[in-house]
Amino acid sequence: MTTEKDPELEKLLEKKAKELMSQKPKGEVIHLDSKNFDSFLASHKIAVVDFWAEWCAPCLILAPIIEELAEDYPQVGFGKLNSDENPDIAARYGVMSLPTVIFFKDGEPVDEIIGAVPREEIEIRIKNLLGE
C-alpha cells in the first residue's frame, strides 16, 4: 500500500489547523472545593467565584451566564463552589444566600453580588476590575 497524500485532504487539514490556531482561548469554569480553592485564587489576578447549591433554582439560572462570561473573558478565572459540599469556604466569606458571586483581586474579595442577576450586572463588575 502506498502512502500518497491526498491534496484535497491536505488543504482541508491546513484550513482546519489555521481555524483552530486563530480561535481565542476558551475560558472555562473550574469546579472548586477546599483542596483547590486557595490555589485557584492565587493563580488568577482577577477571579469570579459562583457560590451555589444543587437545590438552588436561581443558581441554575445563573450558571449558563457564568459559563458565557468565562468564554468571553478568558483572562479572568471563573470558578463555582458548591456551598453545601464546602461550608467552611462559604463561611469564610460570609456567604448566607445563594447564589452569591464574589469577585476577587489578588486573592482578596473586592465585590459581591447576591442573587440571580442579568449578565450585564456581572459584566460591569468584571470590566471595572479589568480597568475597562
Side-chain angles (χ1 to χ4, degrees):
M1 182 174 164
T2 59
T3 55
E4 290 181 36
K5 290 188 176 185
D6 179 347
E8 193 172 330
L9 178 60
E10 289 297 312
K11 282 182 186 175
L12 286 171
L13 288 171
E14 189 176 319
K15 180 180 175 188
K16 188 65 177 171
K18 282 181 183 175
E19 280 176 22
L20 290 171
M21 288 190 290
S22 69
Q23 290 177 351
K24 69 175 186 166
K26 293 248 192 238
E28 63 179 313
V29 179
I30 308 294
H31 290 270
L32 302 173
D33 57 31
S34 55
K35 294 182 186 94
N36 67 357
F37 187 84
D38 292 323
S39 63
F40 172 79
L41 289 183
S43 65
H44 295 90
K45 181 163 180 58
I46 296 173
V48 177
V49 179
D50 175 17
F51 289 79
W52 70 287
E54 288 182 20
W55 51 264
C56 166
C59 297
L60 302 178
I61 293 167
L62 190 62
I65 294 170
I66 297 294
E67 299 273 342
E68 285 176 14
L69 288 166
E71 285 188 23
D72 292 346
Y73 294 90
Q75 71 274 40
V76 174
F78 285 85
K80 316 174 50 101
L81 183 109
N82 185 319
S83 297
D84 285 346
E85 295 173 3
N86 302 278
D88 53 327
I89 297 173
R92 184 192 318 174
Y93 295 101
V95 173
M96 305 287 281
S97 301
L98 297 177
T100 293
V101 177
I102 299 181
F103 301 83
F104 293 86
K105 187 168 187 172
D106 299 320
E108 296 297 319
V110 293
D111 200 356
E112 76 175 21
I113 293 176
I114 297 171
V117 297
R119 172 194 163 106
E120 295 75 23
E121 186 70 29
I122 299 169
E123 195 166 22
I124 288 167
R125 314 282 179 106
I126 293 168
K127 286 181 176 182
N128 285 341
L129 287 172
L130 292 171
E132 292 182 10

